[in-house]
Structures are given as C-alpha cells and as structure tokens.
Amino acid sequence: GAVVSQHPSWVICKSGTSVKIECRSLDFQATTMFWYRQFPKKSLMLMATSNEGSKATYEQGVEKDKFLINHASLTLSTLTVTSAHPEDSSFYICSARDHSFSGANVLTFGAGSRLTVL
Amino acid sequence: AQRVTQPEKLLSVFKGAPVELKCNYSYSGSPELFWYVQYSRQRLQLLLRHISRESIKGFTADLNKGETSFHLKKPFAQEEDSAMYYCALGDYGQNFVFGPGTRLSVLP
C-alpha cells in the first residue's frame, strides 16, 4: 500500500535556529500534501495544504513566514520552521492524498516529527 | 463550510460491550466520510470509508444523510481497540476536515 515517509522523526534544536522536516510519498505521486500540528492529547490542526509546483495554502492563524512549505516535486514536500521558539515545540504530521484510490480522497499519513525547541 | 463534530472526547467501555463513536458533519454537498484511527505510538491510519461499505476489524459505519451522521460501531469491543478515533470529511476537492477525535478506552 501507499506509504508516506517523514524525516526526521524527532529533532531537538536551539531557539532561533531553523528546522526542516521532509515528507515523501513512496510508490505514489502526491500533487497535494497536508501539514498538521498535533498537541498532546489533542486533535490534528491543519496548518497548510501543500500543492506541487505552486504556493501552499495556509490556514487562518498560521504564519506563512514562520512555517515555510515547499512542494518542489510530486513526491516531496518540506516544512521549515524558521527561527524556532519553544512554543513551536510540537508534533508535526504530514499526509498525502493517494489518487490511486477511487474517490481520490484517502489520506496516507507520515509517522510524524517531534520537534523540541530548547 | 465543512465541519465535523465528535461530541465525546473520551469513551470508556468494558471488553465485550458494544461501542458507538458518534460523528456528525455539516456540508452542503455530497461529502465522503472516513474514520481514521491512531493507536498508541503509531501513525494515523485509515480505518474505513463510507463508500466502501465494509467492516474493518469488526467496525462498521453507516452514512445517514438525513441526520448528517457517520457513527462508528462495533458490537463487541476488544482491548486492542483502545485508540484515538477521528472522523473526517472530504469534499472530493482540496478540502479535508477532521473532527476533534474521541479517545476510546476498552477496559478489561
């Protein structure tokens, strides 16, 4: 089945530095990928929709200059947390839409990346 | 605008008891409904989708357009069913909305 690989699975960084998280679709092409943030024991919060070859669509309240998203190919989207601060510490999850399913609405999720900003 | 509600944050049942996780949605068109599950320390994964009309791990869900509901049911809960369950709605376009989730705890 479809697999989404997310890297790194965890990262610790100093305040003020930038961190890049990669999301790759394996064995399928994903024109659309989604980035979520998940707080402990909370639901998923959609941050942005990443579209291959065009600008990402950010949800209200998400700073696009803070969370840079690049979707340069059909199998790779990256999320860069710029000038990270401790409040950015969270679990970031990506998902990709696998169009091989009829209805084209099934999302396959990455395992998530835990970011800790010191 | 699309919206998905799951009224229960936490649902605890005993092993062998029936379980129903509620999901209601609001959408003006014909949505596609899903249930996703997240077991402890695992990634989110698709449990079932309404167009498949199948039973997965003993779970079923029927789309009730009149009541705009897509409740998840299982007649006899097992301990390994303990997980976080998310109801989700897709509109066949770019939009995909998740509910707040319900944590199911199956007690021995």
Side-chain angles (χ1 to χ4, degrees):
Chain A
V3 176
V4 171
S5 172
Q6 204 171 326
H7 177 81
S9 56
W10 59 272
V11 57
I12 301 173
C13 70
K14 291 183 179 180
S15 184
T17 61
S18 295
V19 174
K20 180 185 284 187
I21 301 170
E22 293 186 348
C23 179
R24 292 182 184 273
S25 59
L26 307 181
D27 301 326
F28 72 100
Q29 295 181 332
T31 54
T32 306
M33 290 184 173
F34 302 89
W35 286 96
Y36 299 85
R37 189 170 175 176
Q38 187 177 35
F39 294 97
K41 298 187 178 181
K42 298 284 187 183
S43 184
L44 299 167
M45 183 193 81
L46 178 64
M47 298 175 65
T49 301
S50 173
N51 303 298
E52 186 269 334
S54 64
K55 291 183 178 180
T57 305
Y58 289 82
E59 296 299 300
Q60 192 173 11
V62 178
E63 299 176 63
K64 60 181 180 181
D65 295 329
K66 173 78 171 174
F67 299 99
L68 300 178
I69 291 172
N70 183 278
H71 195 154
S73 78
L74 286 171
T75 60
L76 174 64
S77 175
T78 60
L79 168 68
T80 302
V81 183
T82 62
S83 187
H85 287 98
E87 57 264 31
D88 298 325
S89 298
S90 192
F91 196 56
Y92 294 89
I93 304 173
C94 74
S95 69
R97 177 172 285 158
D98 182 2
H99 288 262
S100 63
F101 281 93
S102 62
N105 251 339
V106 176
L107 295 183
T108 301
F109 285 82
S113 300
R114 182 162 300 285
L115 170 63
T116 301
V117 184
L118 303 177
Chain B
Q2 303 99 313
R3 189 179 173 208
V4 176
T5 59
Q6 292 177 251
E8 303 131 332
K9 285 187 178 180
L10 174 65
L11 182 64
S12 296
V13 300
F14 286 102
K15 176 183 174 182
V19 62
E20 181 180 51
L21 300 169
K22 291 184 168 54
C23 170
N24 287 90
Y25 67 92
S26 60
Y27 182 64
S28 56
S30 294
E32 189 169 4
L33 275 298
F34 306 81
W35 277 99
Y36 280 82
V37 60
Q38 188 173 27
Y39 299 103
S40 179
R41 300 181 185 276
Q42 294 187 28
R43 70 182 70 191
L44 264 166
Q45 55 187 282
L46 178 67
L47 180 62
L48 52 81
R49 49 201 296 234
H50 89 269
I51 66 171
S52 300
R53 293 181 170 274
E54 56 190 346
S55 173
I56 304 294
K57 298 184 179 182
F59 285 97
T60 59
D62 292 318
L63 178 61
N64 185 322
K65 292 185 178 180
E67 295 182 358
T68 59
S69 68
F70 188 56
H71 303 326
L72 183 68
K73 300 177 183 179
K74 184 169 182 177
F76 307 103
Q78 303 298 314
E79 289 182 70
E80 54 265 30
D81 295 329
S82 295
M84 193 76 177
Y85 290 82
Y86 294 95
C87 182
L89 177 155
D91 67 358
Y92 295 98
Q94 289 280 52
N95 298 305
F96 207 95
V97 177
F98 280 87
T102 297
R103 183 169 297 280
L104 175 64
S105 178
V106 181
L107 308 171

